[in-house]
Structures are given as C-alpha cells and as structure tokens.
Amino acid sequence: MRRIATALWIPAVLLAGAPRSAMAQAADAPAAFRAAVAAGTRTDTGVPGPGYWQNGADYVIEATLDPRDGRVTGRETITYHNRSPDALDRLILHLDQNVFAPGARRNRRAPITGGMYVESVSVDGVPAESRHPGGGYQEALTLLEVRPASPVAPGSSVTVEVSWSFTVPPAPTFRNGNLDGRVFAVAQWYPRMAVYDDVYGWDTTPYLGDGEFYLEYGDFDVSLTVPSGWLIGATGTLANAEDVLTDAVVARLAEARSRPGETVRIVAPDDRGAGRSTRGASGSSVTWRFEADDVRDFAFSTSNEYVWDLHRTAGGVDAQAFYRPELGAWEEAARYAAFTIETLSDWIRPYPWPQVSITEGPVGGMEYPMLVFNPGTDNPRGLAGVTIHETAHQWFPMTVGSMEAKHAFMDEGFVSYFDEEAAAVLWGEEPPRWGENRGYLRVAGTEEEVPILRHTDLVSPYGARGLAAYTKPAVMLGALREIVGADTFREAFRDYAETWAFKHPQPWDFFHLVERHAGRDLDWFWSPAFAATATLDAGIEWVEAGADSTAVGLVREGALVVPLTVRFTDARGGVTDRVVEVEAWTGTSQVRLTVPGRAVRIEIDPQGAFPDIDRSDNVWSGG
Ligand SMILES: [Zn+2]
C-alpha cells in the first residue's frame, strides 16, 4: 500500500494557543509541569522521573556554499527517534531562514533574502507535498509541519529527507551573515526537527529573532563544500583532514596537539590560499566533512582570509581560533577559549566534546555547539569577555539543553553569572559584587522590568529582555550563593549540570534541585525574584548607641526578603556581625537588633551580596 505524506505550514491560530494569563506571582510550577510530575517523567526533587524520555534526531547533511552569491544549497537525511509514549501524527521542523522572508513576523530588523526555498520533503522515502500558505499566517513561516502517512509509533524511528537552499543574509544582521563575500557565519541554516518533550509536546515557538533555539540531541555527519583556500570552523571534528588540508597543515595540527598549553599557528597569513592551506587548485572546491556526537545543532564560519590557531588544553580539548590577522588581539582568542574550557570544566562539569572553535565574523557574539561567532573586535578585554561568555554557553544550553526562548535565564542568566566570575579570574581581579550590579539596580522596580520567568519573545522593549534574561538572573544567582552558601551553591550547580546534561530541564527542575541541596524550601526567594519583579530595600531607621550596648531599628520596603548580615563596628575597629534571617520579617516590616558595646558604624550587607535598590540608608556612622 502506498503511503501518502503531506507537509503544510502551521497557521498562526494554532500557534497562539490559549490566551496567556497574567504572570503568576509565584514560582509554583505550571500545570504542564505538575502533570509531568504526576505522569512520572519529572519529579519535585530536581531529578528526571523514572519515566523520563526524550526524542532524538541524527543528521546527515551535504551542503555547498557559493561565496560569489552567498547561496547555500543542501540536502539532508534526518533520522528521528520517537522515544515518547505517543504516536506522532505530525512532525514539526524549524525553517529559521524564513525569518528573512518578505513580510515574516519578527522582533528584530532583518534584511530580506527571500528565506528558505524547500525543494522537496519526503518521509520514509515517500514524497511529501510542501504548501505555502499564500497570504496570511506569516509568523508561522519558520515552522513546517509534515504529516507522515501513518503516525510514528512509540519506540520507532522515521527518516525525513529535505532538499533546500537559501541566501545567507548580508551583514549586519542577527545570528548569521555574509560579510561582503569575505566571511560567512552560517547558522540556523538547515531544516531542524523541533522538540517534542514530556512537558509541552511539540514546541511550536516560531523563530522571531530574539529567541534562539530549542532542539533535540543527535549525531551529525556534515559535508560542506567551499572553494579551495577557504577555511572552515564548525561544530564537530574534521573527519577528512588528509583530503582537505595540505601535508604541511596536517603536520602542524599534529604538532599543536603535542604541545598542550601553547597557542600554535596552524595557518599563518602567508599559508592562506588554494593549494597552500587546503588541497586543490584555485577555482576548485573542497569538501570538509565534520562529525559531531551528542549535539543539538550544527553551524559554521568560513573565509579565505582566515588564519587558524590551536591551543590544546591540559584536558586534551582543542581550542581553535579562526580570524583575519589584521585583528591582532585575536592572537589570544584560542587561549581565552582554552582558559574558559579549563575553568568551567573545573567549576561545573568537564567539557564534553573534543574541540571548540572561536570564529571571527559579522555576528556580535553567538553560540552553537563547539562553535562561537565573535565580532571582529580588536580590544583584548572585549574579545576575552565575549569569548568567555559564548564559550560558557557550551555548558548552558549546549550541554544542558533547556528551552532557550521560553526560559532564557537558564542559558543567558547562568552564563552571565559564570562569565563574570571567570573573567575576574582571567584578569586577576576581585570577584564581582553582585549586589552592586548597576545594570540591574538602574532598572529594578521600574516599569521597564519584567519577570525573569517570561518567554523572551514576549518581552519588549529589548532592554527589558537583556535585564530579565542576562543581568538580573546573574545578580539573583549571586544572591542565591549567599543564601545557600558557596559550597552548596557549587555542588548544586555541578549536580544540576550532571543530572541534566543532554536533557531538557525546566526551571522547576532547577529550583527543586537547588532546594534539595540547600535542605530547605526556597520559594520565598524564587517567587519574588524569578516569578515577579519584587525588589529588596532594607534600611537603618534609627540607632541608639549607648555605653554598654547598641540598638538599631531596621526597616524594609519591597517584597524581596533575604538573610541580611548587619555589621557593627566599634571605636577600636572591632566587628560584630549579626544575621537577620528571613523569618524575622514574617508579618512585619521592622526588626530591632541589639549588640553589646558602643558601635560607631553599622552597615547592612557589607559584602555587597544582595541587590538593595537603595543603599543610601544601609550605613550609619556616628557616636
Ligand atoms: Zn549569551
């Protein structure tokens, strides 16, 4: 019997779903998460449930980039594994390049390329009809729905074959770009399987620009054809170096790998060009074949102007840099990447892949598995900062595969915390005082602030997204570290990364896991800090400094309450610390403390650990 498969574009009305209720003012898990706990795929202790499952997608891709017109032409075979208990009567794919189609809905300015042309789609060898909606449903352009002839049964796999082409958008734009035909950053570029998970089923979030991506893990075998003389930095390891690179370059790779801890030049400025760096005469093409296991995406950068450095870490990871040599600061890029790999492997979890490539080009900082796009900055601090940030994304969300658009804080926020902590180590500086972060304090409590737990595409203007996704969660992680203690904080993060590596955690998995490590409920913190926009504002209202004792009246405004250290200093410099626990504020906004001796100075939160929005009343000096 011949099976018929169809493909169609998802109408907007299906995407919109039920109207969103007002943001809950508590970090209570939503109904979908609670249902997953009841079904046994999640738990309320931060570990996957006994019934946890996750689908997978393996890709074999062959693609050609023609730098003259910036056109990418490709075909792929996706092997999709349905490990869910559900028979799937439809498959959802992301066509992110359609955010550059005329009239596409998006939340960023974009050049118009025409988007992605899908030439053919087939399921298990049966051609599927691909229909354009023709007027309307524009926000759905980045999603393709394919209906297999019969549902994909639980425990079975299905093969999806797609042929497509698109024009890399001219720089500057977001996430990818063609820089004057000289450097190409190519990402979100092939039809990718959407996630079908145990909490929400199919993730039908359209790609609008701000949100990034949420994808299944799988193994990739990608063959990229470019002109001879063009170097490629990509997700994965080069599987056919002898076919692609000249003997001299292959020899330098081997040498670099034998000298961990040093940055070794693989391709110098004079080595560039057809027949020098790569095999093949000028005008011929070369096919680079990359293999990557357990990754959720694949991207690449290519240029015929790149030089290539390699710095092997002590742990045997190849940190590589591809850049145009006019940018002198980039000679340190591979070392910055190696530093990040070593530091975060120690702090969080060992880096799980053989290499990371830092590539220079038109995108102002973006992460893909084993690959970083960096802007062409020549400023060492700026270059180190963005390299550390994007390399830290290899942990969140490349290893720990959260839903980026819906829960941006679980990648951007976590990474913003770790990148500043790591940068301080790199430069030999004091660690950040998170409670004094001006980026957060400037906006905290104003109408420009939105809750951290909000879908990134629903946050506007963009500045509010930057705060909710990046700065504020980092500040709140600094506060959390103070609340649970640095050792517990580190152990919890290690356990979180290990437990959820190559899985799909939700915020409530993280919250529950931290609570288990802390040995107590922390909803009094998650709710105001993550689900709402409550602020912390404690102050000294009055002081009675007598000869034998000192009493102080503390007052708080704002719904965020944390355990605050109050430091009393006497005339000889002697210090007494008292901690006002959260419970002390139950049912009151005023707390009285008394210490022996006459204090001449009193300060709330002397470590600057907590983001008090008005520090002017945090210090008293007199006597
Ligand atoms: Zn980031």
Side-chain angles (χ1 to χ4, degrees):
M1 191 172 81
R2 181 181 161 84
R3 295 182 300 165
I4 299 169
T6 58
L8 56 120
W9 307 79
I10 300 173
V13 288
L14 296 183
L15 295 170
R20 285 169 196 280
S21 59
M23 193 67 210
Q25 293 300 303
D28 294 336
F33 186 91
R34 297 200 306 272
V37 173
T41 62
R42 305 270 160 164
T43 66
D44 55 11
T45 58
V47 297
Y52 183 81
W53 54 264
Q54 193 172 303
N55 290 351
D58 299 324
Y59 293 80
V60 178
I61 301 174
E62 294 174 15
T64 299
L65 167 66
D66 185 342
R68 291 167 302 185
D69 60 5
R71 194 81 185 162
V72 172
T73 305
R75 63 179 185 211
E76 68 182 0
T77 301
I78 308 169
T79 306
Y80 182 67
H81 307 285
N82 179 17
R83 303 182 187 117
S84 82
D86 310 319
L88 302 177
D89 62 357
R90 58 177 185 150
L91 303 170
I92 309 286
L93 285 87
H94 292 286
L95 306 180
D96 284 3
Q97 287 298 320
N98 278 346
V99 80
F100 302 104
R105 187 179 137 204
R106 47 188 169 252
N107 47 28
R108 293 185 175 194
R109 292 164 64 102
I112 300 305
T113 65
M116 187 177 269
Y117 172 66
V118 176
E119 187 178 308
S120 66
V121 183
S122 69
V123 179
D124 280 344
V126 180
E129 187 186 346
S130 179
R131 281 186 286 134
H132 193 282
Y137 312 141
Q138 288 168 344
E139 67 266 50
L141 286 173
T142 64
L143 293 167
L144 177 70
E145 180 178 302
V146 176
R147 289 194 177 269
S150 58
V152 183
S156 73
S157 298
V158 67
T159 300
V160 181
E161 291 176 287
V162 190
S163 299
W164 78 96
S165 60
F166 69 95
T167 299
V168 180
T173 182
F174 50 93
R175 303 277 152 69
N176 59 170
N178 168 1
L179 187 62
D180 303 328
R182 300 167 62 192
V183 183
F184 287 82
V186 183
Q188 308 190 200
W189 61 285
Y190 59 95
R192 301 129 100 206
M193 290 301 306
V195 171
Y196 183 84
D197 70 25
D198 62 305
V199 179
Y200 291 106
W202 283 114
D203 171 41
T204 54
T205 305
Y207 179 51
L208 302 179
D210 278 354
E212 294 177 351
F213 54 90
Y214 180 45
L215 298 168
E216 299 290 12
Y217 287 94
D219 298 341
F220 283 69
D221 179 341
V222 181
S223 296
L224 299 173
T225 300
V226 295
S228 177
W230 286 65
L231 298 182
I232 301 178
T235 302
T237 51
L238 181 59
N240 62 341
E242 281 78 7
D243 299 334
V244 170
L245 304 170
T246 59
D247 292 343
V249 173
V250 170
R252 263 175 248 136
L253 278 172
E255 187 201 342
R257 289 172 177 144
S258 72
R259 289 160 56 187
E262 290 179 49
T263 300
V264 176
R265 193 41 79 75
I266 306 299
V267 171
D270 290 344
D271 305 328
R272 293 177 294 178
R276 290 186 172 152
S277 60
T278 68
R279 295 183 184 279
S282 180
S284 66
S285 59
V286 178
T287 298
W288 299 56
R289 186 172 168 203
F290 292 93
E291 292 175 345
D293 291 341
D294 296 325
V295 292
R296 51 187 278 179
D297 200 2
F298 187 102
F300 65 98
S301 292
T302 185
S303 175
N304 61 352
E305 299 179 35
Y306 277 159
V307 295
W308 179 1
D309 294 344
L310 190 150
H311 186 121
R312 174 161 277 207
T313 69
V317 176
D318 290 343
Q320 309 188 78
F322 295 84
Y323 58 96
R324 289 171 294 172
E326 307 86 88
L327 301 163
W330 274 77
E331 292 179 13
E332 300 289 347
R335 183 175 68 85
Y336 297 149
F339 162 81
T340 312
I341 295 285
E342 289 174 346
T343 302
L344 297 191
S345 290
D346 178 39
W347 287 358
I348 305 170
R349 182 183 190 276
Y351 182 79
W353 297 294
Q355 70 95 14
V356 67
S357 291
I358 313 301
T359 65
E360 177 265 320
V363 177
M366 182 59 197
E367 69 282 5
Y368 295 93
M370 298 188 233
L371 180 72
V372 165
F373 292 164
N374 267 5
T377 176
D378 204 17
N379 172 293
R381 283 204 74 117
L383 177 62
V386 71
T387 300
I388 294 170
H389 177 93
E390 308 302 349
T391 305
H393 274 304
Q394 299 303 320
W395 280 263
F396 310 107
M398 299 312 159
T399 303
V400 182
S402 54
M403 294 178 85
E404 293 185 285
K406 189 161 189 160
H407 310 304
F409 82 95
M410 296 175 81
D411 65 301
E412 297 301 354
F414 291 179
V415 162
S416 296
Y417 170 84
F418 283 106
D419 81 45
E420 277 205 42
E421 294 282 334
V425 174
L426 176 69
W427 300 113
E429 295 170 352
E430 290 293 311
R433 288 167 68 98
W434 287 108
E436 297 172 2
N437 184 290
R438 281 174 297 173
Y440 168 68
L441 293 173
R442 205 166 38 231
V443 181
T446 73
E447 62 187 307
E448 289 178 44
E449 195 188 358
V450 300
I452 291 172
L453 285 173
R454 178 170 291 186
H455 195 295
T456 231
D457 288 322
L458 298 175
V459 176
S460 183
Y462 184 71
R465 173 176 177 266
L467 189 78
Y470 294 73
T471 316
K472 182 179 172 185
V475 168
M476 291 305 167
L477 287 185
L480 176 67
R481 185 182 64 190
E482 192 69 14
I483 290 168
V484 302
D487 291 345
T488 297
F489 180 87
R490 179 172 289 206
E491 286 312 308
F493 250 99
R494 284 179 169 163
D495 187 21
Y496 169 69
E498 193 60 39
T499 299
W500 291 96
F502 308 106
K503 294 189 174 71
H504 295 317
Q506 296 276 326
W508 303 277
D509 296 310
F510 174 74
F511 296 153
H512 291 153
L513 185 144
V514 172
E515 289 179 344
R516 177 161 49 79
H517 278 266
R520 57 174 163 148
D521 177 74
L522 294 168
D523 197 54
W524 53 267
F525 176 66
W526 310 126
S527 292
F530 285 75
T533 55
T535 54
L536 168 70
D537 185 7
I540 296 170
E541 193 167 49
W542 53 261
V543 176
E544 291 173 6
D548 301 328
S549 67
T550 302
V552 59
L554 306 175
V555 63
R556 73 166 173 93
E557 298 172 42
L560 179 58
V561 182
V562 295
L564 282 174
T565 296
V566 182
R567 176 163 294 173
F568 298 82
T569 307
D570 66 26
R572 289 169 305 190
V575 162
T576 303
D577 282 347
R578 287 277 190 276
V579 177
V580 181
E581 298 292 352
V582 171
E583 293 75 15
W585 297 105
T586 305
T588 180
S589 61
Q590 302 200 325
V591 167
R592 175 194 176 98
L593 283 182
T594 304
V595 295
R598 185 182 186 91
V600 297
R601 190 172 192 278
I602 303 172
E603 182 173 10
I604 300 172
D605 185 27
Q607 311 292 345
F610 295 110
D612 191 315
I613 61 168
D614 176 12
R615 282 193 173 262
S616 68
D617 56 2
N618 282 29
V619 178
W620 171 87
S621 54

